[in-house]
Structures are given as C-alpha cells and as structure tokens.
Amino acid sequence: MFLHNLKYEIKLVLRAKSFIIWLMLFPIILGTLFKVAFGSIYQNETFDTIPVAVVKISENEVFDEMLTALTTGEQPALKAISEEEAKAKEMLFDGDVKGILYVGKTVELSVSGRGMTQTILQEIVGRCRVYETVIRDTMATDPSSLEAVIKELSTEVDACREVPVTQGNPDVYVQYFYNLIAMVAICGCNTGLHVSIDNQANQSVVGARKNCSGTPKSINLTAGLIGSCISQGVSMIFCVTFLRFVLQVNFGGNLLLLYLCSVMAGCLGVAMGFFIGSVGRARFEVKVAIAMSISMVLCFMSGLMMGNIKGILAETAPWANRINPVAIISDSFYCLNIYSDYRRFLTKVLGMGIYIVIFTILGVLFARRKKYASI
Amino acid sequence: MKPTVVKIDNLVKRYGELVALDHFSLEIKEGEIFGLLGPNGSGKTTTINCLLSLLAYDKGEIEVFGREMTPTCYDIKSEIGVIMQNVAVLDELSVRENIDYFCGLYITDKEKRKACVEEAIRFVGLEDFVNFRPAKLSGGLLRRLNIACGIAHKPKLIILDEPTVAVDPQSRNRILEGIQELNRNGATVIYTSHYMEEVEQICTRIAIMDKGRKIAEGTKEELKGMIRNTESVSIEILELPGEIKEKITHLPHVYETEYDGTKLTVRCSGGKHNLIRILAVLQEAELGFGRVYSELPTLNDVFLEITGTALRDSKE
C-alpha cells in the first residue's frame, strides 16, 4: 500500500501544473535572466582599446614616446589615428573616436559626453602630463639621471597585496543565484500543501475518499510527504544542475554538498507547506494564497528581489535573518562556497533540519484527526 | 433471516444550535438497495458521513457488519465502497490511473487489482477513455469515473450519495442500471437522493428523512399504504360551478377537491371506479372537459401528506 501510494504521489506532483511552472520553468527563466543581467555587468568591466584622434600642433618628442608605449603591446590602451583637426572633430562627432588629443607643447584632450571611456582618457592624459613634466624637469636639471627616472616611472608600485580569503567564488552576484535556489526550495510548500489537503476529509473530497478507504491515514500521509520530498528533490537537482552546467554559474566549493543541501532545502519547503495546509480550515485556494504570500515575503527578506535588504535587516533586525528559512537556505550555500571549514555551513544545515522537524511534527499533529466536527 | 449490514441507533448530530440528526435510527439488511430519500438539508449526507466515521456525532451508536464503526476500523472500511456527492478524482491522473490509485488503497495484490480495475472500467463503460484526464471528460463520464473509483475493489457495502446530481438522463439511467447490477452481484447498497423517481425505481426499501428525522420507512408499497391518498384524478375543465365541485367532494372515497380555474384535482382514498363516478357527475351537469388523468400516489405524496410540504419544493 505504501509503495503504491508513493508511486502515485510522485506521479501526482511531477504532473502538477504548479510544479512544472514554479519548480521547473521558473528557475530556468529567472536564472537565465539573472545570467543575462549580471553577464552584461561583467562585460562592462572588461577593458577595450580606446580609439583617439591625434591632432599635431607642434612636435612633442616626450609625448610621442609615451603615445607609442600606449598604442603598442598585447592589449594597447589607445588606438591613435593622426588626423587634421576638422576630420578629427568629424570622427568624434560620428563616434569613430572617443576623444581628440591635441599635441603641442602640452597635451590637451577633447571628448564628447561623459562615461567610463572618457574618464579613462582623462586619467591617461593626466598621467602623461605628470610624466612629461617630471621628464622635462630631469632633462633640465640632471640629464644623467634621466634613464633612472624613466625606469622608476615605468615601475608599478602596489601598496596593497591581494590575498584570496576563500577558495570559493567571492562574486557578490552569486548570492542572487543562491536566493533563486532558496526560492525554488520554498516553492515546494505548494507540494506539501497538497499532501495535507488531499488527506483531510474536511478539506477536500479526495481527502474524504481516502479517509473512507482501508488504508490508514498515517500511511497516506507518510507516502505523501516522502513522495513530495522526492519530487521536490528532483526539481532542486534539476535547478542546481541547470544553473551550474548550463548557465555556468560558479558556485565554488563542494558541488555534492551543494546538491545535498538543496535537496534538504526542498524538504524544508515541503514541510512548511504541509504545516500551512494542516493548520486551520480555510479553502484550498486561500491556503495556496497564504503559502505563496509567506514564500514571497521570506524570499524578499532574503534578498531575491532587492540585494541589499539582507544587509539592512542585519543592521536593523538581525533576528529576522536568523529565523527566515529562505535566508538560512541561501546562507548555507554561501557558507559552503566561501568558508573552507564546514562549521558555519553545518550550523545552517542544522537550522534547516530543526525547521523540517518542527513543521512536520506540527503538521502531523494538526492533520492526524480522523473524525471531524463538520465536513 | 438476512444479517444486518448497517445499524444506526438513536444518532444525534448537532452543528451548534442546529440539530442535523435527531435521534435517527436505521437498520439495513444484506442484499438490500436501501434508499435515503429527503430534501436537501434533511440530513442524508450527514448520516452517511457519520456512518463512515468521518463525522463526529453527539450521541448514538453505529454498527457496520455487526461491529461498532470507528475511524480505525480499516478492515470494515475495506469492505465499503463510497461514491461521494462531489466527484472525488485526481486531475493529474488518467481514468485508468485514478481507478488504479483508489483501488490500491484497498487491494495490495497487483494482479488482483489490475483485474478489478479493468472490470470497473468495463462496468462503467469507460473503455474508450482510459487514457483521458478527468478534465477532458464530460459531466456524465466524470460521474461514471467517480463510481468506478468507488466500486473497483468490489465492496460488500456500497454507499452512493446523490450520484446522479447534474447528470444527463442517459448517464443517469446507466448509473441506475449499474447500481442494480452491483446489487444483483451481491452488494448491499445505500442510495441517497432527493429524486424520488430514482429511489422509487431502484430501492427495495426506503427511509424518508426530513429535518434530521426519519419520518417514514418501508418498501414503496408500504410507504404509499401509510397515506390516505390512493388515487389522484385530474381533469382539464374551464368552468366548474360550486355546487358541482361540492357534489364531487361528497362522492364516496373522495376526500379532497381542488379547482384552479383550468384544472380540477380530486384525491381519493381507496375504492374502485372513482374516475367513472367523477366523470358521470360532470356529464350529468353537461359540462365539457378536456384531458383526464388518473395517477397513483408517489413518494412525493407520501412526503406531502406526512410533512405538509412537497418533497421537490423543500429547500435546504
């Protein structure tokens, strides 16, 4: 009876429209959107060679040397195009070049508009002016030390040294993907809700029919919960696999533990839904609305819709992050990725486990009734 | 004497101030098709829910197959098939899967269950729709699926709670014939309905309910024998002087006459040739009349005479 029930419970969940939409299509769509959005941010951070027009007013050997250095090499900073002033202005107007360098005794820059490229050009010209002044002063005062000065100028001195704090991926945008996985997990509450509703005679006609059958309620409930957890686990594995291997999101750390953790998070979603379904006697639609509203609020509080909300809550109401199941789920992924020891991760996993146990026990206590005051 | 399958004794169920079942008692013997007839809100479904141990009740005793019925009597529940008033199937499963799923809640043996499922499909005539999902079925087919889910495990006691509500006449006839066939195959049937024609057509014994009480019980002949009315004569007549109506009222066996301007209704109690005597009075007065009907009493007349309201007019 149990295996028969379990088989059909899994079938029921996997075929449910809400399962296909929220647990299969939703992570694909939202994950892809995240990837596209964050991908373009990274793309903007890559450096491209900046085309500039060079208008020579008079000879400037020092700057010519510097320009040669800036326009050669593996990834040159500038691409210089020598032009007459009128033609250069036309090119700037057409957007073929990002600025015009007027090279005379001093170097002047003309750009159209503002932006990252213009700022970089401004910085380059500023540095050139400083170097030019230093070189000219050296030539005038102590020409013998010119070589040493040029060598010194071309040497990059870094006051900071980069030391990696984690073996994982420190990218802040990965947090959004953690939140997405956490949301998929918590959407499992819809599945858990069905287990409760479909087994209570005063909640659904199917529940009434099951309660009239020769199968004990405990078997129906157990099969329902295990079946839902298995189905939810499948959706979690699918979600993580899609994000990791199709969208190439780098979750760092231990992938096997990430899978296990996400399956556990899915079970937490199921248990939460089961609890909501078992408490009180509202219509099915009302309970679905309650479950979805709670899920969305918890997801919002964990930063799915607004990245910095978690930080705000950490300052104003730190307890909120500690008790929010979605935040616990996403934090567990974060801890797994960032920290080399598993202490923090295990604390979060323990939190999830406690929630699963509490929700399941309370749900069973409410749903175990066998006789009803009214149907 | 056949054994008692269901015994309900002095059952009381209250919803706050409302008394849904008022010291209701019943005894159903093996092999019967027992009809629970009553208007909406009379307590039929409450009785069934108490019988199935779904609903807690305030007072009384319920025995099924000679044993007290409790929620954990799974062996007794295994012998009961329930067809709910509302269709109780799972939308995500096909017709065959639905029947198999619910049958599996009673029968563990795979081969036996498979045979039962196929038999149930044939029984309700859903062979051409086995792979359809419930959403694709018409109302009548859906009701048949609902019945198949309830009877696939071949229960000894079948409870049908208004299974023909919102069903087309063709499907209704098929359902009623099916119930009689199940009974012929050995099942005891409890059939609740507010359609007196259905109850009259298939039930061997009937209990009439009103306001949570049993107001009459017996075979349909016994029930009809409980009332004064044995024949109702209706005559279409456009003009009926008062003295002629009075004369008809004083005919032997006539106990009530009603005239609404177009139709004269005469209710008789016992006696033969009532119609001939009434027509003779009209002919003697040289009054023209149209169509003439003579009807035997129905369960509605029984209900009307006992409660003072018509069964079909009663509201929840």
Side-chain angles (χ1 to χ4, degrees):
Chain A
M1 264 178 198
F2 176 78
L3 289 177
H4 169 83
N5 255 353
L6 185 65
K7 182 183 91 176
Y8 275 107
E9 288 293 345
I10 293 171
K11 265 190 187 182
L12 280 171
V13 177
L14 294 178
R15 286 181 189 175
K17 274 183 195 158
S18 59
F19 179 87
I20 295 165
I21 293 169
W22 287 104
L23 304 179
M24 292 293 187
L25 294 178
F26 181 73
I28 292 178
I29 294 166
L30 199 58
T32 308
L33 287 174
F34 278 172
K35 183 70 183 175
V36 170
F38 302 141
S40 66
I41 290 172
Y42 292 126
Q43 216 167 27
N44 287 342
E45 284 180 1
T46 59
F47 182 80
D48 291 327
T49 303
I50 303 167
V52 286
V54 180
V55 179
K56 279 204 170 174
I57 299 164
S58 62
E59 282 303 317
N60 184 335
E61 280 180 21
V62 177
F63 182 74
D64 284 349
E65 285 295 322
M66 283 191 281
L67 192 63
T68 308
L70 287 165
T71 53
T72 53
E74 234 175 67
Q75 195 180 13
L78 301 177
K79 182 188 173 191
I81 305 159
S82 296
E83 284 295 347
E84 294 296 317
E85 187 178 3
K87 177 72 180 165
K89 281 181 175 173
E90 195 184 318
M91 287 173 80
L92 182 65
F93 183 75
D94 292 342
D96 296 335
V97 292
K98 300 293 179 188
I100 304 170
L101 294 172
Y102 294 95
V103 182
K105 279 186 179 171
T106 58
V107 180
E108 299 297 330
L109 173 70
S110 176
V111 291
S112 65
R114 290 180 196 171
M116 183 68 82
T117 317
Q118 285 79 1
T119 308
I120 292 168
L121 278 176
Q122 198 86 48
E123 181 66 23
I124 289 171
V125 172
R127 276 204 179 196
C128 285
R129 281 185 192 137
V130 172
Y131 290 176
E132 190 187 351
T133 309
V134 171
I135 291 166
R136 280 190 199 284
D137 284 354
T138 310
M139 282 170 76
T141 54
D142 185 9
S144 59
S145 64
L146 185 63
E147 199 177 333
V149 168
I150 291 172
K151 195 180 173 188
E152 199 65 34
L153 282 173
S154 59
T155 307
E156 283 279 335
V157 179
D158 227 331
C160 303
R161 190 162 57 90
E162 195 177 335
V163 180
V165 291
T166 174
Q167 300 291 320
N169 178 11
D171 185 349
V172 289
Y173 298 114
V174 181
Q175 187 64 40
Y176 280 92
F177 292 99
Y178 295 150
N179 287 334
L180 175 61
I181 300 171
M183 187 186 176
V184 174
I186 222 70
C187 278
C189 69
N190 206 26
T191 317
L193 194 73
H194 266 285
V195 176
S196 173
I197 301 281
D198 285 351
N199 281 292
Q200 295 196 77
N202 65 342
Q203 302 264 305
S204 68
V205 279
V206 170
R209 174 163 263 170
K210 281 186 175 183
N211 276 259
C212 295
S213 76
T215 305
K217 194 171 195 170
S218 53
I219 291 181
N220 284 331
L221 282 177
T222 311
L225 282 173
I226 292 175
S228 295
C229 286
I230 291 172
S231 311
Q232 185 67 22
V234 169
S235 84
M236 297 310 300
I237 290 169
F238 169 80
C239 175
V240 173
T241 306
F242 178 80
L243 295 176
R244 177 65 189 87
F245 295 104
V246 179
L247 298 184
Q248 301 284 321
V249 176
N250 180 7
F251 289 118
N254 191 327
L255 197 60
L256 180 66
L257 278 180
L258 182 75
Y259 274 118
L260 289 174
C261 185
S262 62
V263 170
M264 192 172 177
C267 295
L268 169 54
V270 171
M272 192 175 103
F274 176 63
F275 168 70
I276 294 169
S278 303
V279 178
R281 193 197 162 184
R283 281 190 301 125
F284 174 67
E285 292 78 11
V286 174
K287 287 201 168 177
V288 169
I290 291 170
M292 292 312 283
S293 306
I294 292 172
S295 307
M296 286 300 141
V297 169
L298 295 179
C299 288
F300 175 77
M301 285 167 66
S302 81
L304 182 73
M305 296 87 171
M306 227 172 94
N308 58 345
I309 190 79
K310 218 165 160 182
I312 295 168
L313 282 174
E315 285 174 8
T316 54
W319 52 268
N321 284 341
R322 281 200 284 273
I323 63 164
N324 178 0
V326 183
I328 292 174
I329 294 168
S330 66
D331 283 352
S332 68
F333 298 140
Y334 177 80
C335 294
L336 187 61
N337 175 22
I338 296 298
Y339 302 113
S340 50
D341 73 302
Y342 292 121
R343 194 175 53 82
R344 289 183 181 86
F345 169 70
L346 288 174
T347 310
K348 300 294 173 189
V349 169
L350 184 68
M352 276 195 263
I354 290 170
Y355 262 122
I356 292 172
V357 172
I358 290 173
F359 282 142
T360 308
I361 289 174
L362 289 178
V364 168
L365 285 176
F366 284 114
R368 68 178 177 161
R369 254 174 316 160
K370 294 187 171 81
K371 268 192 177 186
Y372 299 86
S374 65
I375 290 179
Chain B
M1 193 175 164
K2 288 188 171 176
T4 301
V5 173
V6 173
K7 190 179 174 192
I8 298 173
D9 191 27
N10 227 12
L11 194 63
V12 177
K13 168 69 188 171
R14 293 189 187 90
Y15 294 109
E17 293 293 301
L18 178 81
V19 182
L21 289 175
D22 187 3
H23 297 90
F24 182 82
S25 298
L26 200 66
E27 204 171 321
I28 299 168
K29 300 281 179 192
E30 192 183 276
E32 282 189 311
I33 301 183
F34 192 90
L36 270 180
L37 179 67
N40 291 330
S42 58
K44 304 184 295 292
T45 302
T46 304
T47 307
I48 296 302
N49 286 335
C50 289
L51 173 61
L52 290 167
S53 229
L54 294 176
L55 206 54
Y57 44 89
D58 300 286
K59 200 179 156 190
E61 284 170 15
I62 297 174
E63 282 182 13
V64 180
F65 298 120
R67 282 171 52 200
E68 189 194 352
M69 184 67 175
T70 64
T72 50
C73 289
Y74 298 113
D75 51 341
I76 295 178
K77 286 183 175 181
S78 294
E79 301 293 345
I80 303 175
V82 185
I83 291 111
M84 303 276 179
Q85 193 170 344
N86 297 316
V87 175
V89 295
L90 295 156
D91 295 335
E92 292 81 9
L93 301 182
S94 69
V95 165
R96 178 180 273 123
E97 287 171 332
N98 258 298
I99 301 170
D100 183 52
Y101 174 66
F102 287 110
C103 188
L105 299 179
Y106 299 86
I107 299 173
T108 45
D109 186 88
K110 224 173 181 177
E111 288 306 309
K112 192 179 167 193
R113 191 171 74 233
K114 199 176 169 190
C116 286
V117 169
E118 293 308 319
E119 202 178 323
I121 290 169
R122 275 195 304 276
F123 182 78
V124 295
L126 286 176
E127 296 95 325
D128 297 334
F129 306 94
V130 285
N131 294 320
F132 280 48
R133 295 270 182 98
K136 300 274 179 196
L137 299 178
S138 68
L141 294 177
L142 207 53
R143 286 273 167 191
R144 286 198 231 164
L145 170 61
N146 194 35
I147 291 173
C149 292
I151 54 117
H153 61 287
K154 296 185 177 169
K156 288 181 187 164
L157 172 64
I158 300 171
I159 299 170
L160 298 108
D161 189 10
E162 310 227 20
T164 57
V165 172
V167 169
D168 60 279
Q170 194 189 354
S171 292
R172 177 176 295 187
N173 285 336
R174 185 166 185 136
I175 289 169
L176 295 179
E177 284 165 16
I179 292 165
Q180 286 174 307
E181 196 182 327
L182 287 168
N183 178 248
R184 280 195 294 275
N185 293 340
T188 305
V189 177
I190 301 177
Y191 186 87
T192 82
S193 180
H194 60 271
Y195 297 126
M196 59 176 181
E197 299 87 353
E198 288 180 4
V199 174
E200 219 171 327
Q201 186 184 333
I202 65 166
C203 295
T204 51
R205 219 151 56 84
I206 300 155
I208 300 178
M209 292 184 74
D210 188 42
K211 293 172 185 163
R213 286 180 299 131
K214 183 173 72 178
I215 56 171
E217 186 185 341
T219 62
K220 51 195 166 202
E221 292 77 19
E222 285 169 347
L223 288 171
K224 287 171 188 175
M226 289 176 189
I227 58 170
R228 219 161 27 141
N229 187 354
T230 56
E231 186 181 9
S232 292
V233 177
S234 302
I235 302 163
E236 286 180 359
I237 184 165
L238 294 174
E239 191 193 347
L240 184 69
E243 66 272 18
I244 302 300
K245 184 173 175 263
E246 199 62 22
K247 201 172 176 183
I248 291 171
T249 308
H250 287 100
L251 285 172
H253 307 295
V254 173
Y255 69 92
E256 190 179 64
T257 55
E258 251 179 53
Y259 181 61
D260 64 3
T262 56
K263 193 171 89 175
L264 169 70
T265 306
V266 183
R267 293 194 179 88
C268 309
S269 178
K272 290 176 181 174
H273 316 301
N274 295 320
L275 177 62
I276 294 166
R277 275 197 293 273
I278 295 162
L279 293 180
V281 173
L282 295 176
Q283 278 169 339
E284 194 183 302
E286 294 183 339
L287 291 169
F289 53 86
R291 283 180 290 186
V292 177
Y293 316 90
S294 172
E295 289 171 324
L296 294 172
T298 62
L299 292 176
N300 188 46
D301 294 307
V302 177
F303 192 83
L304 175 69
E305 204 167 306
I306 298 173
T307 65
T309 54
L311 184 59
R312 53 180 104 235
D313 295 337
S314 299
K315 293 275 186 288
E316 211 167 342

